[in-house]
Amino acid sequence: MKFKRTFLLIVGLSILGAATVVADSKIKQYSGKEISVQVNGELLSKPALNIEGTTMLPVRDIANKLQAMVEYNAATDTVSIYKPNVQVSLLTRLKDGQFGTFGTVPKNDENEFFIFTQIDTLLTDIDSLKYEIIDPNGSIVYNYTEPDLTEQNENMWLYTPNINFTAKITGEYTVNVYMKLTESDEFSLVGQKVFTAN
């Protein structure tokens, strides 16, 4: 009986040792110095690490600041960053029937416009595209999700339905464009436009 227990203990420790060696071959330990990183003057919430002269950055924080999407593939242990070029325009119909752009609107006047988005270098399929307008107090005053993204390609032109909009607060309104790669992902900011009400 004692022999059996000793044998099982030796086998168990051998298996654990092998697992540890395999784990050690995949995981390396580094020591470095924490450093702060700013993107366009904004400090990242998580620090970076400087290891022997190479800076290791928090990928998702950097991607968020650069208006990019991040995908992690657990099967291949690969992180992919997708940064489409997203141009956002606000278009309104002028009295002569032509379309014009605007960047300033009178406060308390009703305005009709739509958000036109030109997207290129989109090198992956996406699940959803969403638009929001944020007022100067940070409240969402318009929200629209594109219902049909069945035909996707590297270059797309998309626009929202007409928006009847009254700016009730003086200041800057931000138009945000978001994408998400899969249904279970969170939306990532990929484009912005600002207009002013006065």
Side-chain angles (χ1 to χ4, degrees), residues 29 47 53 88 96 114 130:
Q29 288 189 338
V88 183
D96 62 2
F114 62 91
K130 181 175 78 167

Side-chain angles (χ1 to χ4, degrees), residues 35-47:
I35 59 172
S36 299
V37 178
Q38 290 186 357
V39 178
N40 290 331
E42 263 189 77
L43 191 66
L44 292 185
S45 60
K46 293 177 184 164

Side-chain angles (χ1 to χ4, degrees), residues 88-146:
V88 183
S89 300
L90 308 178
L91 299 178
T92 186
R93 192 175 289 279
L94 303 173
K95 289 179 182 177
D96 62 2
Q98 299 295 315
F99 288 108
T101 60
F102 69 90
T104 304
V105 297
K107 181 184 167 186
N108 293 325
D109 278 9
E110 187 174 317
N111 297 278
E112 186 175 321
F113 67 96
F114 62 91
I115 304 166
F116 173 71
T117 313
Q118 183 178 357
I119 302 164
D120 57 58
T121 61
L122 179 60
L123 302 178
T124 184
D125 284 344
I126 59 172
D127 175 76
S128 304
L129 179 81
K130 181 175 78 167
Y131 300 88
E132 285 180 348
I133 299 176
I134 313 293
D135 75 11
N137 291 337
S139 299
I140 300 169
V141 293
Y142 175 79
N143 187 1
Y144 174 75
T145 301
E146 179 63 42

Side-chain angles (χ1 to χ4, degrees), residues 175-188:
V175 178
N176 290 333
V177 181
Y178 303 90
M179 291 179 183
K180 66 177 178 176
L181 293 165
T182 67
E183 189 177 355
S184 61
D185 284 335
E186 293 182 8
F187 278 103
S188 297

Side-chain angles (χ1 to χ4, degrees), residues 31 51 64 103 124 132 142 172:
S31 60
I51 300 168
N64 288 342
T124 184
E132 285 180 348
Y142 175 79
E172 286 191 345

Side-chain angles (χ1 to χ4, degrees), residues 7 31 46 54 62 73 81 146 181:
F7 178 74
S31 60
K46 293 177 184 164
T54 299
I62 289 288
N73 185 327
I81 300 173
E146 179 63 42
L181 293 165

